Amino acid sequence: VLFNMIVEVPRWTNAKMEVATEEPLNPIKQDIKKGKLRYVANIFPHKGYIWNYGALPQTWEDPNHTDKLTGCCGDNDPIDVCEIGSKVRSSGEIIQVKVLGVLGLVDEGETDWKIIAISVDDPEAQKIHIDDVKKHKPGYLEATIDWFRSYKVPDDKPENHFAFNGEFKDKDFAVEIIKSTHEHWKALLHKKANGGTINCTNVLVSGSPFCCSEEDARSIVQS
């Protein structure tokens, strides 16, 4: 089961780079809070993000939809991906990933699914499944739980908690979550859902009222 992942944050870096959903064509930018560029703290013993971190395009966690599994609404962003392969990737890189499983994070009262995946060009991609990660990459899943639980504590926020007591769900479960967020994205792009301040300008979604020409898109980028 393969998906295209957009890498926002390379492993071991701290700048909170993300798809800027409120800007035309959704460039990747460093997030700003209270006028300051955002960085994640180093959660001992880790340095920055501990995976290549990014998102699946054409997905949306709808903030107006209550997830029946978590009891919380979506976080208004594309679905997040933690890529656990051995290479350090670049921001903006698009890589094909094999989905292994998913972790249900509840972040400040919002549903924030974290897809666990591995790049298909990784030497271990063929043999690894979510149940094998502990064998091939010991400590990685435990560190993932620890990281997501604690990463906002240095900013005076409470610890996060998890759906299913922090149990990682398997590939089939993860794919159903991805499909659901893809349907929400389709509704958003066809004005069947309220996206608020999200900018849905695009060049490829036929039938979308937000579709623009490649020439228009080029001028947006150049400006």
Side-chain angles (χ1 to χ4, degrees):
V1 179
L2 304 183
F3 291 89
N4 292 312
M5 168 192 176
I6 300 168
V7 177
E8 295 166 312
V9 188
R11 184 191 282 116
W12 312 136
T13 63
N14 298 72
K16 190 166 174 33
M17 307 296 293
E18 58 184 25
V19 172
T21 56
E22 297 185 6
E23 299 202 16
L25 301 179
N26 312 137
I28 293 175
K29 293 182 69 176
Q30 189 168 353
D31 193 27
I32 293 176
K33 204 157 198 175
K34 295 179 182 172
K36 292 183 177 177
L37 292 170
R38 285 184 72 190
Y39 296 86
V40 298
N42 294 319
I43 303 298
F44 187 83
H46 311 299
K47 166 74 176 78
Y49 287 76
I50 61 173
W51 341 258
N52 295 299
Y53 190 68
L56 293 183
Q58 301 192 358
T59 61
W60 180 49
E61 295 194 70
D62 185 349
N64 303 305
H65 171 77
T66 302
D67 191 300
K68 64 181 185 292
L69 298 167
T70 66
C72 297
C73 293
D75 75 343
N76 204 29
D77 279 322
I79 200 165
D80 295 316
V81 186
C82 303
E83 193 278 319
I84 66 170
S86 51
K87 281 187 190 173
V88 175
R89 301 290 180 165
S90 304
S91 191
E93 197 173 346
I94 296 172
I95 55 175
Q96 274 206 319
V97 296
K98 171 184 168 182
V99 168
L100 304 175
V102 64
L103 176 66
L105 176 68
V106 178
D107 187 344
E108 296 185 42
E110 295 177 333
T111 302
D112 193 1
W113 293 103
K114 304 297 180 185
I115 300 294
I116 309 300
I118 188 166
S119 172
V120 292
D121 63 8
D122 192 272
E124 292 181 316
Q126 294 307 311
K127 61 185 179 186
I128 201 168
H129 302 280
I130 196 69
D131 296 334
D132 310 319
V133 175
K134 288 184 179 178
K135 174 182 161 191
H136 293 289
K137 295 177 180 286
Y140 211 169
L141 293 183
E142 293 85 346
T144 295
I145 291 276
D146 190 46
W147 197 96
F148 279 121
R149 180 185 290 120
S150 306
Y151 82 106
K152 288 191 173 179
V153 172
D155 296 328
D156 297 324
K157 300 271 180 71
E159 287 189 347
N160 286 321
H161 62 279
F162 304 93
F164 315 111
N165 292 318
E167 176 193 347
F168 288 84
K169 295 296 189 178
D170 66 11
K171 173 194 74 178
D172 293 339
F173 190 103
V175 169
E176 288 307 309
I177 298 290
I178 293 167
K179 283 181 180 172
S180 153
T181 58
H182 177 60
E183 291 304 315
H184 290 148
W185 171 84
K186 283 203 288 195
L188 173 68
L189 267 284
H190 290 90
K191 265 193 173 172
K192 292 176 180 169
N194 179 13
T197 55
I198 292 180
N199 191 305
C200 298
T201 304
N202 68 86
V203 291
L204 293 175
V205 185
S206 60
S208 166
F210 304 104
C211 203
C212 72
S213 68
E214 285 191 21
E215 189 182 349
D216 288 343
R218 203 171 289 114
S219 67
I220 289 170
V221 172
Q222 285 168 352
S223 69

